[in-house]
Amino acid sequence: MPKKFYLILIFFIIAALVAAGIITYNRSKLESNFKQVELAMSLNELRELSYQEGYDEIELLAKIKNSGTNSIAVHEDTLESLALSGKILYFSDKELNKLNFFLKSLDPFKKFQPAPGEAYIIFNDKNDYLHIKENLQRQLGEDLVRDLGFLPYIGLKVKGSEEKLADLGLGFSEEDIELVKNLGFQVILRLKNFARINKEDIEFKFKESDKAGKISGIIFEGEAVLGYPSKENLIHTAELLKTKEYPFGIIEFAGQKGIEIVAHQANELAVRVHSITKEEMEIISKQKATERWIRAAKERKVRIFYIKPFMKSNFNLIEENLAYIRTITEELKANGFSMGRASILSTTYQEPKIFILLLILGVISGGLILLKNTFNLKKYQEYSLLLLGILFSLVLLFINREIFLIKLMALLAALIFPTLAIINNEKYFFENNNSKFKNAQDIPKNNLSFVLMIKQVLIGFFRIILITLSGALLIAALLSNNKFMLGIEQFSGIKISYLVPLLLVLAIMWLRVNNGKLMILENIKKPILIEHVIIMMFFAVFLIIYVSRSGNFSFIPVLGIEEKIRIFLEKTLIARPRNKEFLVGYPALLLAMSMNYLRIKEFKIPIIIIGTIGPVTLINTFCHIHTPFLFSMLRTFNGVWLGLALGLIAVTIFYYLVKIFREKINYEKA
C-alpha cells in the first residue's frame, strides 16, 4: 500500500476514534444519570390476589406500597369489571337464552324476545349509563348500541358476541384512580385500542385519561397500540403523548403492533418496560425472576418493572409476594439504582453531524485497509473507492436516510474490524511457516524459548484486541442515540456479524496459503481422507451451535452447568463476559500464535478461525446498544483478562507437551 494513502486512512481512523471518544463520553454521562426504576403492579391482578386469599384489598395495597412498589397500573373498565363492582347488571346473549323461560313468566318481560348475539346492560346510575353508552357507540357504532325502551330501568341493548364485548375498554374508574392516589401510588394508565378507531376516538380516550390528573405514564394494553392499524392515527397518538407529556412504555418482547411508529414520533418520552408473563410466573422461581429483573435494569435500560404477582405457593402467598418485591428493591439498590418515577433518556444533547461523517469515514478507511491487505489494488482504485464511499454516505444523508446509513456502517464495522484485526496481524500466525526446519521435530531444544514465545503471543494478542476495540468504539458511537439505546431501532445483522468475519478470515487465509490463488478445482480433485470428513463434520456442528447460540434466542437450550457458570460470573464480576469469548475465542487465538512460534502447521487455520470468535464476540458486545457503554467496557475487560489467563495456561501446557515430544524424538534419533 502506498505510504501516503495508508497514512491518510490511518489519519481518518484516528479522527473517527476521537469523535467516537467524545460521543461515548457524553453517552456515559447521560447513562450515569439514568438510574431510577419504577416498580409497577396491576390493580386488577392485586385484586385477584386479595380475592383469592380472602385478604382486604386496601390492606394489601398498603403493604405492597411499603414493600417498594411505586406505581399501580389502572386498566380500563370492562363489562365484566363493572358488573363485579355492582355498577351494572350485565346479561350476555348466552345468559339471556338460559333465563328466557323464567323471564317470560314475569310481567315486565312478557314482550321480551332476545335476538341472537344481543347483550343487555342495566344501570344504577345515569352518569355511568351516559359514559358507557358513549364508549360503546364509539367502538361498535350507534346502530349496534340502543336504549332499552320496555324496561323500568336505564338500560342498553348491545349487538355483538360475548368475546367481542368482553374485550372492549370502557374508560377509567375515577374511584379506582382516587383509591390508588390516596394510598400514595403513582398512576399508570393502560389504554386499549379498538378496530374502528379514528382521530376523534383517540382524542376521546386521552380526554378520559385527563380524569386521572397527573399520571406517571401510559402502557398500551393488548396486542396493538392506540390508533393501530392506521399510520396517521398512530402519529396522532404520538402527538397527543407529546402534547400531554405522557411517558409511554415499550414492552420488551411483546411486539405490540404500531409501537414502532409511535416510538419514532415520540422517542423522547419512551421507556423500556419488562414483564414476566403469567405463564412464566407459574414455573419460575423467585430467585430466577429477581435475577431477570436486575439483568433487565443493568443490561437493557429497562426502567419500568411491570411486576406480576405469584398466584401459587405452598406458603403464605401474600407474604411470598411481599418478600419478592422487597428482594427486587434491595437488589436494585445494591446495584446502584433508586426507586421512583422511571428515568427518561434525555435527548437534549445532539452530536454534530460532522461527528457522524467522521465515524463513517473511519469505517470506510478500515474497509479500504482490509481490501488493500487482501488484494493488490492500484492507486486510482484506492482513491476511487474512498471517494465513492464518501459520496454514497453524503447522498444517503441528503435524502434523509441517516438511520439506514448508520445501520449499514455499524454492520460493516462489525464485519471489517474483527477480520482486519486477524489479517493485519497475520505475521503472528504465519511468519515462521518458511523456517529452515522442515518438520516440527527438527527444531533443536535450545530454540524453544518460552519467554520469547509468551512475549510474541502477548504482543499479537493485544494488537488484535486494539484493532477490534477501535471498531467496537466506532459502532458504539454510531448507535449512540436514544432510538437505538431504547430499542426503537436496532443493530441489523447480528447473525451475519457473527458468521461472515469467520468466513472472510477463512477465505483470506486460504488465499495466503495458496499464494493468492483459489485453487478450488485442484483441491476438489484430491482424495478425501477420513480425517477430512471428521474435521468437516466437526466444523459443521460447531457452526450450527455457534450461529444458533448467537443473539437473544436459540433453539439450543443452555446447559445447567453453563447456567451456573453464568450466574457465578455475573455475581462475581458484575458484567459477565460471554462464554464463547473467554472460553473459546481468546484461548484459541493464543494457541494459534504459539503454534506459529513453535513451527507447527497442522490444524492451525481451523484454530485461527475458532480464535476469530474472540474479536467477533467483543465487537458484538457493543452492537447491543441498549446496554450501557461502561457496562459493555467492563464486560469486554473481563472477557479479555479471563480469556488471556485461560489462554496462557493452555499455551504453557501446550509448550511443554511439544517440548517433551520433541526431546523424545531427538533422543530416539540419537
Side-chain angles (χ1 to χ4, degrees), residues 183-430:
L183 288 169
F185 289 103
Q186 299 171 124
V187 175
I188 291 176
L189 297 181
R190 303 293 311 268
L191 286 174
K192 271 191 172 187
N193 189 48
F194 59 90
R196 295 165 48 93
I197 199 164
N198 56 38
K199 285 187 177 180
E200 291 74 22
D201 295 327
I202 294 170
E203 289 169 3
F204 176 77
K205 286 273 190 182
F206 273 90
K207 190 176 178 182
E208 288 274 287
S209 72
D210 289 342
K211 296 175 184 177
K214 186 178 180 181
I215 63 171
S216 181
I218 285 174
I219 300 176
F220 298 104
E221 185 171 0
E223 295 181 357
V225 170
L226 192 68
Y228 184 83
S230 164
K231 183 177 180 180
E232 189 179 346
N233 287 344
L234 290 167
I235 291 172
H236 192 57
T237 296
E239 288 170 352
L240 288 172
L241 286 169
K242 289 194 285 187
T243 300
K244 295 181 179 293
E245 297 182 343
Y246 286 166
F248 67 97
I250 302 174
I251 307 171
E252 284 193 313
F253 317 123
Q256 282 184 312
K257 296 171 185 175
I259 191 65
E260 300 90 351
I261 293 172
V262 173
H264 271 96
Q265 297 295 320
N267 57 81
E268 67 272 20
L269 294 168
V271 185
R272 285 175 72 87
V273 180
H274 186 69
S275 185
I276 302 175
T277 65
K278 282 186 177 180
E279 293 75 19
E280 289 176 292
M281 288 299 294
E282 291 181 2
I283 58 174
I284 198 169
S285 68
K286 189 172 78 171
Q287 180 184 348
K288 282 195 174 181
T290 304
E291 288 166 357
R292 183 163 154 180
W293 290 117
I294 305 308
R295 196 176 297 121
K298 288 198 306 182
E299 300 185 21
R300 300 197 303 278
K301 292 188 177 72
V302 169
R303 292 300 177 262
I304 294 180
F305 288 4
Y306 196 86
I307 302 171
K308 295 182 183 295
F310 287 100
M311 300 302 289
K312 293 179 181 178
S313 175
N314 296 326
F315 305 101
N316 186 315
L317 194 55
I318 301 294
E319 289 303 320
E320 281 284 302
N321 279 291
L322 294 174
Y324 171 53
I325 298 163
R326 281 194 293 269
T327 303
I328 295 170
T329 304
E330 289 164 5
E331 287 292 322
L332 279 171
K333 288 178 180 177
N335 283 277
F337 294 93
S338 59
M339 268 56 67
R341 191 175 183 185
S343 294
I344 304 293
L345 198 61
S346 172
T347 57
T348 53
Y349 179 81
Q350 294 292 328
E351 302 294 349
K353 293 285 184 185
I354 188 65
F355 280 15
I356 302 298
L357 288 172
L358 285 174
L359 296 173
I360 291 168
L361 203 52
V363 175
I364 294 170
S365 299
L368 286 172
I369 292 174
L370 179 61
L371 282 174
K372 185 58 181 174
N373 282 350
T374 308
F375 305 103
N376 187 24
L377 296 179
K378 301 194 181 303
K379 189 175 180 179
Y380 78 90
Q381 292 174 322
E382 295 165 355
Y383 283 101
S384 298
L385 287 171
L386 178 60
L387 184 61
L388 281 173
I390 294 170
L391 287 174
F392 174 75
S393 302
L394 289 173
V395 168
L396 286 179
L397 286 173
F398 181 75
I399 62 174
N400 203 28
R401 297 297 304 276
E402 183 178 330
I403 293 294
F404 172 77
L405 178 60
I406 286 172
K407 285 184 175 182
L408 176 62
M409 288 298 158
L411 177 58
L412 286 175
L415 303 180
I416 290 166
F417 281 88
T419 309
L420 183 62
I422 302 296
I423 300 305
N424 208 47
N425 291 289
E426 66 172 328
K427 67 179 183 179
Y428 295 97
F429 299 107
F430 291 107

Side-chain angles (χ1 to χ4, degrees), residues 496-554:
I496 293 171
S497 68
Y498 267 111
L499 184 60
V500 169
L502 274 65
L503 298 177
L504 287 174
V505 170
L506 176 60
I508 295 169
M509 292 293 182
W510 180 281
L511 289 171
R512 292 284 193 273
V513 170
N514 293 290
N515 298 316
K517 299 176 182 178
L518 290 175
M519 297 182 69
I520 295 173
L521 291 175
E522 292 84 344
N523 282 282
I524 288 175
K525 291 176 182 177
K526 291 180 181 179
I528 298 176
L529 303 176
I530 187 66
E531 52 261 40
H532 296 154
V533 175
I534 293 170
I535 291 170
M536 285 189 290
M537 288 177 63
F538 168 78
F539 268 94
V541 173
F542 166 77
L543 285 174
I544 291 169
I545 295 172
Y546 169 67
V547 174
S548 70
R549 290 290 298 273
S550 305
N552 291 325
F553 303 100
S554 170

Side-chain angles (χ1 to χ4, degrees), residues 447-503:
N447 201 50
L448 291 170
S449 171
F450 178 74
V451 174
L452 191 60
M453 182 189 74
I454 294 298
K455 181 182 176 182
Q456 182 174 309
V457 164
L458 288 177
I459 291 171
F461 178 76
F462 283 113
R463 281 172 60 99
I464 290 169
I465 295 299
L466 188 62
I467 293 172
T468 309
L469 202 53
S470 299
L473 191 61
L474 294 180
I475 292 173
L478 278 167
L479 304 180
S480 285
N481 69 57
N482 72 325
K483 286 183 180 179
F484 285 98
M485 289 193 282
L486 290 170
I488 299 166
E489 292 285 356
Q490 293 184 347
F491 174 85
S492 299
I494 288 290
K495 302 288 186 186
I496 293 171
S497 68
Y498 267 111
L499 184 60
V500 169
L502 274 65
L503 298 177

